Amino acid sequence: MGEFDLIKRYFSRPARRAVLGVGDDCALLAPTPGMQLAVSSDMLVEGRHFLSTVSPVLLGHKALAVNLSDLAACGAEPRAFMLSLALPRADEAWLAGFSQGLWALADTFGCELIGGDTTQGPLNISITVIGDVPTGQALLRSGAQVGDDIYVSGTLGDARVALEVFRGNMSVSESVFLSTRSRMEQPTPRIDLGVALRGLATSAADISDGFLGDLGHILQASQVGADIETALALPLLACASHLHLPQARQLELILSGGDDYELVFTAPAQCRAQVVAAGLASHTPITRIGAVREGQGVQLRDAAGQPMAHQFKSFDHFA
Ligand code: ADP
Ligand code: MG
């Protein structure tokens, strides 16, 4: 199968909202009046971001999910995406599975594939997503204010548990392995929550490299610090009740686990009821775990409000 047959068979569909999709030198999109485009890219490299053993269907899902997660963090709705693939060979079983996972998630969010690039090489998947958001309403990292509450969606740390099991560093029951593995391999982009937080959250980011690091990006951009109440954060590790881990280890998984693809966001303390309503409207669990303060960096606090020392770090490819 040649390059163009491959694209035609697995990655072409008639354009829907796009003016022109796959097949020409450029795709064409008509901007919607009153909206701004939100654009983001994420690359997945074998051995770095995924294990060679992962099922192609799940990989197709995850490659798009991690990109949609960035749109969610901006409060944007998905419109279209570009797919750039380096493949060692044209393996039809792999392509069928990968495209199946990709199309399923794309259809869930009405996000159409409008083009890309395909070359031979070590397996590498790069996606660029394009979304839109009403002009001026994108959620940025730079808007957190002193006194705001800090929230996270969903659960944190479970994906990391699965990774540690794969690495041979932890052992868990079969059922815990299945549930944590699905958190690692099938993240849920929080698009509906991002949309519900427009005009309400003062800042937001998605949690890809670990909560502390991604909250740290918000704090730096907003030039503020944060207090995190560990007693409020501990319940976020969904599998905790099935494991026998010291609290410090649970906290490490929650605060610097990575691969969660949840949202961390801030909102004014007087808007708590509206944040609860946004969670309900988007069918997304939300937990308040701290507050923005003056200064810089994250201070962890114990149940008595006392500062706690810690050395948790988030993932950095070059650290
Ligand atoms: P060019 O040589 O002009 O860069 P290509 O030959 O790379 O064009 O691609 C031909 C068409 O197929 C283009 O419309 C391109 O966007 C699309 N395409 C290439 N690879 C992919 C892919 N992996 N997924 C979707 N569309 C793709
Ligand atoms: Mg090309």
Side-chain angles (χ1 to χ4, degrees):
M1 187 175 41
E3 176 186 334
F4 298 101
D5 293 332
L6 184 162
I7 296 167
K8 198 160 179 220
R9 169 131 14 135
Y10 295 104
F11 301 114
S12 307
R13 282 181 172 184
R16 282 178 285 179
R17 279 176 72 194
V19 178
L20 186 64
V22 170
D24 213 310
D25 293 309
C26 290
L28 295 174
L29 291 176
T32 308
M35 305 291 271
Q36 289 176 321
L37 294 177
V39 184
S40 179
S41 291
D42 253 317
M43 181 160 69
L44 272 75
V45 176
E46 182 167 11
R48 259 285 139 183
H49 301 96
F50 60 91
L51 307 165
S52 56
T53 51
V54 68
S55 107
V57 181
L58 299 180
L59 191 57
H61 172 99
K62 185 164 178 177
L64 183 57
V66 303
N67 277 279
L68 294 176
S69 178
D70 285 308
L71 291 183
C74 278
E77 285 184 273
R79 283 197 62 177
F81 68 106
M82 310 280 290
L83 170 67
S84 295
L85 275 179
L87 301 170
R89 62 196 162 274
D91 174 343
E92 295 221 36
W94 188 92
L95 284 160
F98 179 82
S99 58
Q100 182 194 326
L102 188 78
W103 290 126
L105 187 64
D107 288 345
T108 301
F109 289 101
C111 189
E112 57 184 326
L113 178 56
I114 56 169
D117 200 17
T118 306
T119 88
Q120 198 267 328
L123 184 56
N124 191 326
I125 304 156
S126 177
I127 289 182
T128 298
V129 280
I130 301 161
D132 57 14
V133 57
T135 299
Q137 289 190 33
L139 306 175
L140 307 182
R141 295 177 172 186
S142 54
Q145 303 290 321
V146 172
D148 283 354
D149 291 320
I150 299 172
Y151 298 89
V152 292
S153 64
T155 65
L156 295 182
D158 296 283
R160 181 59 180 264
V161 168
L163 181 63
E164 294 300 325
V165 173
F166 274 114
R167 285 176 171 169
N169 299 334
M170 269 177 91
S171 75
V172 299
S173 70
E174 186 64 22
S175 69
V176 170
F177 181 56
L178 286 178
S179 65
T180 57
R181 183 178 181 174
S182 89
R183 288 288 290 148
M184 180 176 93
E185 294 180 338
Q186 289 181 283
T188 310
R190 298 298 194 183
I191 295 290
D192 294 347
L193 176 61
V195 169
L197 291 175
R198 287 176 191 161
L200 177 59
T202 50
S203 72
D206 71 320
I207 305 176
S208 49
D209 297 331
F211 169 80
L212 284 179
D214 291 308
L215 172 62
H217 296 313
I218 288 180
L219 300 179
Q220 261 195 336
S222 303
Q223 297 190 292
V224 290
D227 285 317
I228 296 298
E229 296 180 47
T230 54
L232 297 180
L234 275 166
L236 291 171
L237 183 66
C239 64
S241 62
H242 302 281
L243 306 176
H244 300 283
L245 294 175
Q247 273 200 0
R249 178 73 178 124
Q250 291 180 39
L251 268 184
E252 182 178 18
L253 290 164
I254 293 164
L255 298 176
S256 58
D259 244 6
D260 302 297
Y261 300 100
E262 296 294 347
L263 299 187
V264 49
F265 62 95
T266 59
Q270 64 271 24
C271 296
R272 282 185 189 172
Q274 287 155 270
V275 171
V276 170
L280 290 174
S282 60
H283 306 285
T284 311
I286 291 176
T287 309
R288 181 176 57 83
I289 64 169
V292 178
R293 57 163 171 76
E294 283 177 25
Q296 54 183 15
V298 180
Q299 179 66 65
L300 301 186
R301 297 195 178 271
D302 65 18
Q306 293 302 308
M308 288 169 62
H310 72 89
Q311 291 178 327
F312 306 146
K313 288 199 175 66
S314 276
F315 187 75
D316 179 334
H317 282 285
F318 296 101

